[in-house]
Amino acid sequence: MRLSRAFIPTIKEIPSEAQIASHRLMLRAGLVRQTSAGIYAWLPLGLRVLRNIERIVREEQNAAGAQEVLMPTIQPAELWRESGRYDDYGKEMLRIVDRHEREMLYGPTNEEMITDIFRQSVKSYRDLPINLYHIQWKFRDEVRPRFGVMRGREFLMKDAYSFDVDHAGAVRSYRGMMLAYMRTFQRMGLKAIPMVADTGPIGGDLSHEFIVLAPTGESQVYYDASFEGVDYLTGGKSPNLEKFFADITSRYAATDEKHDPAKWADVPEASRREGRGIEVGHIFYFGTKYTKAMNAAVAGPDGKMFHPEMGSYGIGVSRLVGAAIEASHDDAGIIWPDAIAPFKAAILNLKNGDAACDALCESLYAALSGDALYDDRSDRAGVKFNDADLMGHPWQIIVGPRGAAAGKVELKRRATGERVEVSPEDALAKVRG
């Protein structure tokens, strides 16, 4: 994309309404614009990041055996009355009456709808297990939406729902999703730690929230440093889920709500880490809560009907954009992890009109195809440097007249600020990884 033609409305001023770094930088870098309280339009640069996150989430869900569906945003109220949640959910639910006086709602979550789809379609235990997911917009009418996309009213979420024959099967599904989540966050370049969460009336220990470490996080967290060295991308196509789960749950990790000073004391002092964190995902086992309430039953091996065991698995796709910025930025702007950056590189032409600069920039732009943002504007070099740092592309390829004449470019790594003079070919190789 050529910056001279791109719709990336950056702003220099710090927005007065933005209280945290991600909100400020998303507005300043032209990623989003607010349309009403807690609701944002995603502009081209922000949408590219959102789509990159979606892609990684989708790939890992598919690899874990989940199947993608797409459920509507508007749901009939009678499904929620069946589950007993319609009156209990409170004012966060946006309730609607259509022209035929039918009560509807804008879905804040999808347990009821997926259970209804399941009961219409699955009749035998032979069809289990099934895990269905979608990536869809949700709406929760927060009393005080704030912090930009971190706590908005409308948000993009991946939610998955597993159906199993028995508890043992539900545990396998749960562990498989936990591994998929750890792989997902690692691929995004984010340091995420699973922490035991409340399970409500279900009890047990099958509820975990996934916390991305960030100085401005809403939760105080305590964890064993050994988490930081685990590589979740190894293990092949048939990982040992029991071993994985035992390893993960043997390491201490807790938010302040679940922190146990006695267990914390058992962690070697050199391995104790404390900080702040942002919740970006939650997985939860809830047994037959919805299948019983909504009479979603299938025939077992003996012909008798039974209610399958369920779990749900959420990832805040739009929230991850804000969380990634909170975890990785500096005074100059965003520092995107490579995997989710809107562009791999920014090409900065420091002297438009210079034949050598123009020719070299055009060749680099063509070679990187859709992976580069070419700053072909006639602005001063300082403006181009500032905007490139603000937008946070992992690499900057800087082309000036002296270097271009010598067949060299300057390559800057955004995360470290390191700048080296290299050949165009070496710059392309670095950017492509």
Side-chain angles (χ1 to χ4, degrees):
M1 185 181 293
R2 296 175 189 272
L3 192 49
S4 63
R5 303 296 305 156
F7 183 61
I8 305 177
T10 59
I11 54 177
K12 294 180 181 179
E13 301 79 15
I14 296 176
S16 59
E17 73 274 21
Q19 301 175 32
I20 60 173
S22 61
H23 193 188
R24 290 194 296 269
L25 291 171
M26 289 182 75
L27 292 172
R28 287 192 57 219
L31 273 66
V32 297
R33 286 294 180 266
Q34 182 171 315
T35 61
S36 64
I39 300 176
Y40 292 85
W42 290 79
L43 307 187
L45 203 67
L47 188 60
R48 289 179 70 96
V49 179
L50 202 63
R51 292 291 181 251
N52 285 336
I53 290 173
E54 275 189 68
R55 173 181 50 79
I56 295 171
V57 168
R58 182 172 282 114
E59 289 172 357
E60 289 301 326
Q61 289 294 291
N62 293 344
Q67 300 176 64
E68 186 171 10
V69 298
L70 184 60
M71 290 176 273
T73 57
I74 304 299
Q75 304 182 25
E78 59 258 30
L79 290 180
W80 286 66
R81 287 200 169 95
E82 282 190 64
S83 72
R85 288 208 298 173
Y86 186 73
D87 294 323
D88 295 341
Y89 205 88
K91 291 185 178 181
E92 284 189 2
M93 181 188 288
L94 182 62
R95 301 159 201 264
I96 305 162
V97 178
D98 71 12
R99 66 170 63 195
H100 300 291
E101 300 301 316
R102 289 177 297 222
E103 292 180 283
M104 313 291 283
L105 58 99
Y106 194 123
T109 184
N110 281 77
E111 283 84 359
E112 285 80 2
M113 181 162 283
I114 198 68
T115 303
D116 181 51
I117 291 170
F118 174 86
R119 71 183 174 183
Q120 293 181 51
S121 310
V122 181
K123 305 301 179 186
S124 170
Y125 76 97
R126 292 186 180 89
D127 297 321
L128 302 179
I130 292 175
N131 192 328
L132 303 173
Y133 80 95
H134 76 158
I135 299 174
Q136 179 61 289
W137 293 96
K138 304 282 192 292
F139 187 92
R140 295 176 188 169
D141 200 1
E142 297 275 356
V143 176
R144 286 182 293 275
R146 52 185 177 158
F147 306 148
V149 302
M150 295 288 289
R151 188 166 292 179
R153 294 194 295 165
E154 185 182 57
F155 52 95
L156 188 62
M157 181 177 174
K158 187 285 300 183
D159 41 325
Y161 305 91
S162 60
F163 297 83
D164 282 275
V165 170
D166 52 23
H167 180 264
V171 169
R172 283 192 296 272
S173 293
Y174 185 95
R175 293 171 177 175
M177 280 290 103
M178 176 180 272
L179 177 57
Y181 274 42
M182 299 312 296
R183 288 176 55 88
T184 296
F185 297 128
Q186 184 176 332
R187 284 186 59 190
M188 290 180 188
L190 299 174
K191 187 182 294 182
I193 298 176
M195 302 193 177
V196 175
D198 285 326
T199 56
I202 301 297
D205 61 356
L206 288 183
S207 179
H208 287 82
E209 55 189 3
F210 296 80
I211 304 292
V212 167
L213 302 175
T216 53
E218 69 253 320
S219 301
Q220 176 71 19
V221 297
Y222 305 81
Y223 66 97
D224 190 320
S226 62
F227 269 110
E228 298 174 356
V230 182
D231 181 5
Y232 301 100
L233 300 179
T234 59
K237 294 183 178 180
S238 301
N240 185 326
L241 293 178
E242 186 174 355
K243 182 176 181 297
F244 156 77
F245 188 74
D247 179 60
I248 286 294
T249 54
S250 69
R251 306 168 193 264
Y252 187 86
T255 62
D256 46 0
E257 293 179 347
K258 304 284 286 185
H259 182 49
D260 185 333
K263 290 182 179 179
W264 183 236
D266 292 336
V267 178
E269 189 170 353
S271 294
R272 294 178 199 163
R273 298 289 185 272
E274 298 182 32
R276 307 293 297 180
I278 300 166
E279 182 186 346
V280 292
H282 198 152
I283 59 177
F284 190 84
Y285 161 75
F286 44 70
T288 59
K289 177 179 179 179
Y290 294 95
T291 52
K292 275 188 177 178
M294 299 179 69
N295 195 28
V298 301
D302 57 2
K304 293 182 180 179
M305 303 299 287
F306 72 94
H307 299 102
E309 304 265 337
M310 287 182 65
S312 70
Y313 316 93
I315 286 180
V317 175
S318 54
R319 195 170 214 253
L320 272 165
V321 180
I325 296 172
E326 292 293 333
S328 185
H329 68 275
D330 59 17
D331 291 341
I334 302 166
I335 304 173
W336 289 116
D338 292 63
I340 64 174
F343 294 96
K344 290 183 178 179
I347 301 169
L348 310 185
N349 187 339
L350 300 189
K351 193 168 185 181
N352 277 47
D354 179 89
C357 282
D358 291 348
L360 183 49
C361 286
E362 290 291 346
S363 68
L364 291 166
Y365 182 55
L368 288 172
S369 187
D371 289 332
L373 179 65
Y374 175 22
D375 193 343
D376 60 340
R377 299 174 299 175
S378 56
D379 289 300
R380 293 176 291 105
V383 172
K384 298 187 177 191
F385 290 139
N386 289 340
D387 280 351
D389 282 347
L390 174 62
M391 294 179 204
H393 315 293
W395 298 97
Q396 295 171 23
I397 305 176
I398 303 161
V399 181
R402 185 168 61 85
K408 296 287 186 180
V409 300
E410 196 170 18
L411 185 65
K412 176 182 173 180
R413 182 63 169 165
R414 175 68 180 92
T416 64
E418 180 186 9
R419 296 166 70 144
V420 292
E421 190 174 67
V422 296
S423 69
E425 293 75 21
D426 287 345
L428 290 171
K430 279 281 190 183
V431 170
R432 288 168 176 158

